[in-house]
Amino acid sequence: MAVARPIRMLAAACILIVIFLVFQMNKEPSYVGTESGPYEGMKYDPLKEPTGEPEGYLWRAEDHDYAPDSANSARTKAAIISLVRNEELNELIPTIRDLERTWNHKFNYPWIFFNDKPFTEEFKKRTQAEIKAKCIYEQIPTEHWGVPDWIDMDLFRESTQLLKEKGLQYADMISYHQMCRWNSGMFYKHPALENYRYYWRVEPKVQFFCDVDYDVFRYVEDRNITYGFTINLFDAPESIPNLWPTTQEFLAANPSYLSNNNMMGWLTDDKLRPEHTHDANGYSTCHFWSNFEIGDMDFFRGDQYSAYFDYLDRAGGFFYERWGDAPVHSIGVGLFADSAKVHWFRDIGYRHIPYFNCPNSPKCSGCTPGKFFAGESWLAKEDCRPSYFKHVGTH
């Protein structure tokens, strides 16, 4: 018996729909805000869309006791930390004023300043004058800052000369290598942080643009957030050629350390800037720019990250190459943390020259919503957020 024409047409339409859905499910996901062709930067920034506060309950100063000297304050075990030299004081003061004005004058979390040299009385006097909360001044122990005894200094000089010839910034500055190592795996071991769990890292010369009216540390604690960031960039492959191969060696020896909900796709993406992934031997070089980070030190003190840092440290790349704390933290978080517990603080307006995180919010002033950089046009392609949004999400 012949099938009626309308039924045949309906069946054909159903088949086409099924084929379309199968194709959509199996095609490569697109990058948010980019177009086809060589990557030249995000074409449409989601920060241009209206940005509000995070959802859920938020701790506010008017609802709780956040007085600077209160013995029963609502503050959790957290601090603002800054690695800074005495000679950077004039660059630090405007940053302190920004963060105090936009956030900390409401919550009065302590500032802890770190230096490999003793702080001057002028530094202490001028910083405390800007802050109602407690200020703590700490010198880094020699065993945390010094060059480890397994580093061959002749090899260091030869290696850094090669890096310098390639035009790599700070390559021959021993103090820069020491700083990267300390920030990567030593800062949370300092005795002054022993009783703290959460930290907000702040550096001189950065700016904050938005009023933040909730306790950021309580926010991350209540949601068990491991790591928070604002800016997501590509790194210079020539600074870290052996970081990913060394990481792969560590993973091969410790496969159980890998999180079930990791960020491997973001760490190894070879579509957005394939030349970076090639030159970094399999690592996309995407990283959270760690001059801003809000993190849980319990993660860094944990077995997985501690073992990972120790393995990297023994490999010598903090000195023979220029492994930075930004890629090291990012790879560690990307491999060993639950990606659902990593948070983009899109509502915190921030600048570290030349990049911005500027939301479209009435709480912000002094920056342009969705503007990612200030400077030459080539800076646009240093934005790794499209890859992060694709592989991880926009949370």
Side-chain angles (χ1 to χ4, degrees):
M1 183 174 69
V3 179
R5 187 168 181 270
I7 296 177
R8 293 201 306 273
M9 292 178 66
L10 180 61
C14 291
I15 292 171
L16 289 173
I17 291 171
V18 170
I19 292 172
F20 173 78
L21 291 174
V22 170
F23 172 76
Q24 290 295 316
M25 287 188 293
N26 287 280
K27 76 174 184 177
E28 184 74 13
S30 63
Y31 288 92
V32 176
T34 63
E35 297 173 357
S36 59
Y39 178 57
E40 298 295 337
M42 187 179 290
K43 304 303 178 185
Y44 183 80
D45 196 315
L47 286 175
K48 292 182 178 180
E49 299 295 327
T51 298
E53 292 182 331
E55 296 180 354
Y57 180 78
L58 301 173
W59 291 64
R60 301 187 185 278
E62 58 267 29
D63 299 328
H64 300 280
D65 178 8
Y66 282 100
D69 300 320
S70 174
N72 300 302
S73 84
R75 285 182 291 274
T76 191
K77 295 180 179 180
I80 303 165
I81 68 172
S82 184
L83 174 64
V84 60
R85 296 184 184 277
N86 289 306
E87 54 267 31
E88 295 175 300
L89 176 60
N90 289 332
E91 297 168 336
L92 178 66
I93 292 296
T95 295
I96 292 175
R97 289 174 180 167
D98 261 7
L99 190 54
E100 287 292 314
R101 171 181 53 82
T102 57
W103 182 70
N104 197 47
H105 80 277
K106 305 160 210 173
F107 301 100
N108 295 298
Y109 277 94
W111 285 74
I112 306 180
F113 299 99
F114 295 96
N115 192 347
D116 64 309
K117 303 287 194 301
F119 281 109
T120 64
E121 290 305 311
E122 180 191 9
F123 186 99
K124 295 176 183 179
K125 181 179 179 180
R126 290 183 59 191
T127 50
Q128 184 66 81
E130 303 290 341
I131 300 166
K132 290 189 301 179
K134 184 178 182 180
C135 291
I136 302 168
Y137 304 90
E138 296 288 343
Q139 187 170 351
I140 299 169
T142 302
E143 61 269 25
H144 287 179
W145 187 263
V147 178
D149 56 13
W150 59 82
I151 297 299
D152 183 329
M153 292 306 296
D154 290 332
L155 180 57
F156 166 76
R157 285 184 282 270
E158 293 171 9
S159 301
T160 55
Q161 183 59 37
L162 293 174
L163 295 175
K164 186 178 179 181
E165 290 171 3
K166 293 180 180 180
L168 197 63
Q169 195 175 24
Y170 312 126
D172 59 343
M173 288 179 58
I174 186 70
S175 62
Y176 190 85
H177 294 262
Q178 292 170 293
M179 177 194 71
C180 290
R181 176 177 179 262
W182 187 81
N183 277 324
S184 293
M186 291 292 173
F187 80 93
Y188 50 86
K189 298 177 182 177
H190 196 287
L193 292 174
E194 185 178 5
N195 294 321
Y196 294 93
R197 178 174 177 182
Y198 299 101
Y199 71 98
W200 185 333
R201 176 171 160 182
V202 175
E203 294 190 359
K205 296 195 292 187
V206 305
Q207 293 174 273
F208 296 93
F209 300 105
C210 307
D211 290 328
V212 180
D213 296 322
Y214 62 94
D215 184 338
V216 169
F217 289 128
R218 284 289 190 178
Y219 175 79
V220 299
E221 182 179 49
D222 289 349
R223 290 153 185 81
N224 199 26
I225 289 171
T226 301
Y227 191 88
F229 71 97
T230 52
I231 295 172
N232 195 318
L233 298 174
F234 288 92
D235 207 349
E238 60 270 22
S239 69
I240 48 172
N242 285 300
L243 177 56
W244 189 249
T246 306
T247 298
Q248 289 179 305
E249 292 173 6
F250 177 79
L251 285 177
N254 302 278
S256 64
Y257 283 3
L258 188 64
S259 168
N260 291 329
N261 190 27
N262 60 65
M263 304 183 196
M264 188 69 79
W266 173 62
L267 294 173
T268 60
D269 182 280
D270 61 357
K271 299 296 192 298
L272 204 58
R273 296 186 73 179
E275 72 283 2
H276 270 54
T277 312
H278 175 270
D279 292 347
N281 293 303
Y283 171 37
S284 67
T285 77
C286 287
H287 64 279
F288 307 119
W289 215 16
S290 57
N291 45 70
F292 175 107
E293 55 183 9
I294 296 172
D296 182 350
M297 286 183 281
D298 280 0
F299 168 79
F300 293 107
R301 293 164 177 151
D303 292 342
Q304 292 93 331
Y305 186 85
S306 293
Y308 176 59
F309 171 76
D310 289 345
Y311 193 87
L312 296 183
D313 201 21
R314 284 285 174 177
F318 290 110
F319 294 93
Y320 304 142
E321 295 182 5
R322 202 202 66 184
W323 295 356
D325 51 276
V328 171
H329 280 190
S330 301
I331 293 174
V333 169
L335 294 178
F336 311 128
D338 179 350
S339 66
K341 301 300 183 183
V342 177
H343 180 66
W344 176 31
F345 278 101
R346 61 189 297 163
D347 60 313
I348 297 181
Y350 178 74
R351 182 193 191 191
H352 183 299
I353 295 172
Y355 301 110
F356 293 85
N357 183 78
C358 185
N360 180 3
S361 168
K363 291 179 178 288
C364 305
S365 62
C367 64
T368 303
K371 181 179 180 178
F372 171 63
F373 68 95
E376 298 295 327
S377 59
W378 60 264
L379 291 169
K381 65 182 180 182
E382 299 305 318
D383 188 356
C384 193
R385 286 177 303 161
S387 176
Y388 187 83
F389 295 160
K390 171 191 174 184
H391 294 291
V392 184
T394 58
H395 56 271

